[in-house]
Amino acid sequence: MEYKNIWVLVEKQNEGIHPVVFELLSKGRSLKEALGERLIAVFFGKLKDRDKAELERYGAEEILAIHIDEGMDENHELLAELACMAVEEERPQIILAGATINGRTLMPLIAVQLKTGLTADCTELRIDKDREILLQTRPAFGGNIMATIECADSKPQMATVRPHVFKMKKTRDPVKAKVKSKRYSPVMRRTVRVLETIAQEEKMDITRTDIIVSGGRGLGKADGFELIGELSRKLGGMVGASRGAVDLGWISHAHQVGQTGRTVSPKLYVACGISGAVQHLAGMKGSETIIAINEDPDATIFEAADYGIVGDLYDIIPRILKEMESSGRA
Ligand SMILES: Cc1cc2nc3c(=O)[nH]c(=O)nc-3n(C[C@H](O)[C@H](O)[C@H](O)COP(=O)(O)OP(=O)(O)OC[C@H]3O[C@@H](n4cnc5c(N)ncnc54)[C@H](O)[C@@H]3O)c2cc1C
């Protein structure tokens, strides 16, 4: 039996579905069109009408609802075993999941059991139509190059993608997804038991804002973040930073944008005194509008920017603030 169709594993969050699932379904639509196959959401446990409607809105054409007996621990080992049983039967060509803590734990367990490959933290996914292969791009060799990885000899092809890498887009014409219910009898391997789930405290989270003003080494000193903070406050956003600035101890890691920081996709990203290293771009290139302020007209950041201002940020930013004030926007 040949391998076909694209699966997106559904991760639950609180009472609903984790947003990364909708991002993966949005991307999955273009992948399945390239392959001429179906996009299937794989849901573990009891599927509610609201969950079904949401999955349909982002393009799921079919939902594989895998039953979990009441009282069973929904631990990663159990989910991996159930997923593998479903794979043996349904033979998906591609399996995608979010590179969240759960996705990063579950996907390797599945890949090992199926003896197939897995590419973690992809920043782009494409299809080679001639060979029907998933091209999985991610930073490699210490983040200095972007490598495109193929899993050509074994199936399914598996990849995880961090939240915010792909845009969440509702489909214009949602279809009523066919629900296929599956019940398997796993041999429960209780290596890990969840005793209690404690909700994480709300922390400063730069992935949850529409506007980010980021500062880099070009600030020249830690105090420069006061100016960045002022602009971000006036715009109603949050402060981001390059690793260059974080490594100098000017601001905490929670603010770092990039490959080893957070991946963000705000409506507006203002990069001040940031050169535009590939590892920084990996974390913000999905922003809707990018403005760069840099005194070097050849800085790489200008290649990614929609608007570029060449000049000293200590001259430019106060002028922007003054302009906002005089036009009543601050
Ligand atoms: C494995 C790995 C992971 C990494 N992960 C990340 C990551 O997650 N995020 C990240 O950002 N980096 C990351 N890096 C580091 C990255 O390669 C760069 O070193 C870093 O992004 C540089 O930070 P920067 O742009 O602030 O500093 P610089 O590259 O030093 O750039 C400073 C810029 O400021 C400009 N400038 C100077 N003075 C002024 C002024 N007064 N006004 C206006 N412009 C001015 C300069 O022209 C220059 O372009 C990673 C590197 C590796 C190897």
Side-chain angles (χ1 to χ4, degrees):
M1 198 171 128
E2 68 172 318
Y3 286 85
K4 60 178 178 4
N5 299 328
I6 299 175
W7 279 13
V8 173
L9 302 190
V10 178
E11 177 174 343
K12 292 175 213 160
Q13 187 182 53
N14 305 324
E15 289 302 297
I17 293 175
H18 195 295
V20 73
V21 174
F22 305 128
E23 294 164 12
L24 290 172
L25 284 172
S26 306
K27 181 69 183 180
R29 297 209 297 274
S30 63
L31 301 179
K32 71 118 199 175
E33 260 155 40
L35 283 170
E37 295 180 358
R38 290 171 71 71
L39 184 58
I40 299 174
V42 179
F43 192 94
F44 297 95
K46 199 166 161 31
L47 180 70
K48 296 187 199 127
D49 289 346
R50 195 187 59 195
D51 296 333
K52 178 173 182 283
E54 278 205 291
L55 294 170
E56 284 169 347
R57 219 165 283 142
Y58 288 92
E61 297 163 295
E62 189 176 315
I63 300 170
L64 196 66
I66 302 181
H67 177 83
I68 294 186
D69 282 337
E70 220 158 283
M72 254 191 183
D73 256 353
E74 274 190 47
N75 60 38
H76 295 116
E77 284 80 4
L78 173 71
L79 298 185
E81 199 171 342
L82 291 169
C84 289
M85 288 172 153
V87 168
E88 299 287 336
E89 215 172 84
E90 300 288 320
R91 306 219 152 206
Q93 147 105 291
I94 292 170
I95 305 180
L96 305 178
T100 57
I101 291 175
N102 285 322
R104 281 172 200 223
T105 313
L106 178 61
M107 290 285 270
L109 291 171
I110 299 174
V112 163
Q113 285 190 49
L114 296 175
K115 296 194 171 61
T116 188
L118 165 66
T119 310
D121 286 355
C122 295
T123 52
E124 180 56 303
L125 296 173
R126 280 171 300 130
I127 298 288
D128 176 335
K129 282 195 195 175
D130 296 334
R131 296 185 301 144
E132 297 199 344
I133 291 287
L134 179 68
L135 303 175
Q136 310 160 48
T137 304
R138 57 151 295 145
F141 295 109
N144 290 316
I145 59 159
M146 298 303 279
T148 296
I149 295 166
E150 303 178 359
C151 178
D153 298 326
S154 46
K155 295 272 166 52
Q157 304 166 81
M158 297 180 59
T160 63
V161 180
R162 284 209 249 170
H164 301 285
V165 167
F166 295 138
K167 289 244 173 344
M168 203 189 282
K169 283 188 218 134
K170 289 184 181 153
T171 170
R172 266 193 234 134
D173 33 27
V175 289
K176 280 261 162 270
K178 177 177 146 199
V179 178
K180 210 168 173 183
S181 299
K182 292 278 170 186
R183 190 183 278 267
Y184 300 105
S185 308
V187 187
M188 274 281 278
R189 276 178 244 149
R190 281 180 177 267
T191 51
V192 178
R193 273 184 64 204
V194 178
L195 298 178
E196 192 185 358
T197 307
I198 300 166
Q200 203 178 20
E201 259 178 59
E202 268 301 304
K203 282 200 230 134
M204 199 278 312
D205 184 353
I206 54 168
T207 65
R208 290 169 185 242
T209 177
D210 282 342
I211 298 173
I212 296 176
V213 183
S214 276
R217 216 147 39 188
L219 290 173
K221 53 187 181 211
D223 289 354
F225 273 100
E226 282 173 21
L227 189 60
I228 299 294
E230 197 181 338
L231 180 58
S232 95
R233 262 192 312 281
K234 296 245 159 94
L235 290 169
M238 285 188 184
V239 173
S242 70
R243 177 160 157 184
V246 172
D247 283 353
L248 285 164
W250 293 348
I251 191 160
S252 73
H253 183 260
H255 294 267
Q256 185 178 315
V257 173
Q259 186 194 320
T260 43
R262 309 304 298 265
T263 303
V264 297
S265 50
K267 291 206 166 85
L268 176 65
Y269 188 87
V270 189
C272 311
I274 293 177
S275 58
V278 63
Q279 298 89 354
H280 188 80
L281 298 179
M284 46 63 83
K285 66 176 176 2
S287 307
E288 235 168 86
T289 302
I290 299 171
I291 301 178
I293 305 172
N294 197 303
E295 63 180 11
D296 175 5
D298 298 322
T300 319
I301 191 76
F302 288 128
E303 288 167 25
D306 299 284
Y307 301 96
I309 305 172
V310 178
D312 182 348
L313 64 93
Y314 287 104
D315 170 38
I316 309 287
I317 297 178
R319 279 162 62 188
I320 296 173
L321 290 169
K322 211 164 149 205
E323 186 62 36
M324 286 173 75
E325 216 154 290
S326 60
S327 63
R329 263 177 263 159

